């Protein structure tokens, strides 16, 4: 049985939301290891990002940033 396009869109949206949540969690976890506990601003800023591409860019920047502030300078 073929799934409806509406059902497929709902499933895809759920997958994207799951990836966004996973990326946020990864940024916060790895950032803690690199910079220490996140500031309230850093935590709020990361939780507010819902663009998967932006989160992926931040995970790459995490490799070269020296602080939460530097990591989130363009957010």
């Amino acid at each position: 049985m073929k799934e409806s396009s509406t059902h497929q869109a709902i499933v895809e949206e759920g997958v994207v939301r799951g990836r966004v949540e996973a990326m946020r969690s990864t940024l916060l976890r790895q950032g803690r290891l690199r910079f220490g506990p996140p500031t309230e601003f850093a935590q709020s800023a990361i939780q507010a990002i819902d663009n998967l591409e932006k989160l992926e860019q931040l995970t790459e920047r995490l490799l070269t940033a020296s602080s939460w502030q530097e990591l989130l300078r363009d957010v």
Side-chain angles (χ1 to χ4, degrees), residues 19 22-28 30-31 34 46 52-65 71-72:
R19 289 188 65 202
M23 293 294 284
R24 288 175 181 154
S25 176
T26 297
L27 271 170
L28 289 168
Q30 292 181 348
R34 185 162 171 88
I46 290 170
L52 187 58
E53 186 176 333
K54 181 66 176 176
L55 290 165
E56 289 171 345
Q57 291 170 356
L58 288 173
T59 60
E60 291 173 0
R61 188 184 302 166
L62 184 66
L63 298 172
T64 58
L71 175 68
L72 299 169

Side-chain angles (χ1 to χ4, degrees), residues 9-35:
I10 291 169
V11 169
E12 287 175 18
E13 183 180 328
V15 169
V16 170
R17 267 192 263 140
R19 289 188 65 202
V20 165
E21 284 300 319
M23 293 294 284
R24 288 175 181 154
S25 176
T26 297
L27 271 170
L28 289 168
R29 189 175 61 253
Q30 292 181 348
R32 272 187 198 94
L33 292 172
R34 185 162 171 88
F35 312 129

Side-chain angles (χ1 to χ4, degrees), residues 38-46 72 75:
T39 62
E40 188 173 316
F41 169 79
Q43 187 146 357
S44 296
I46 290 170
L72 299 169
V75 175

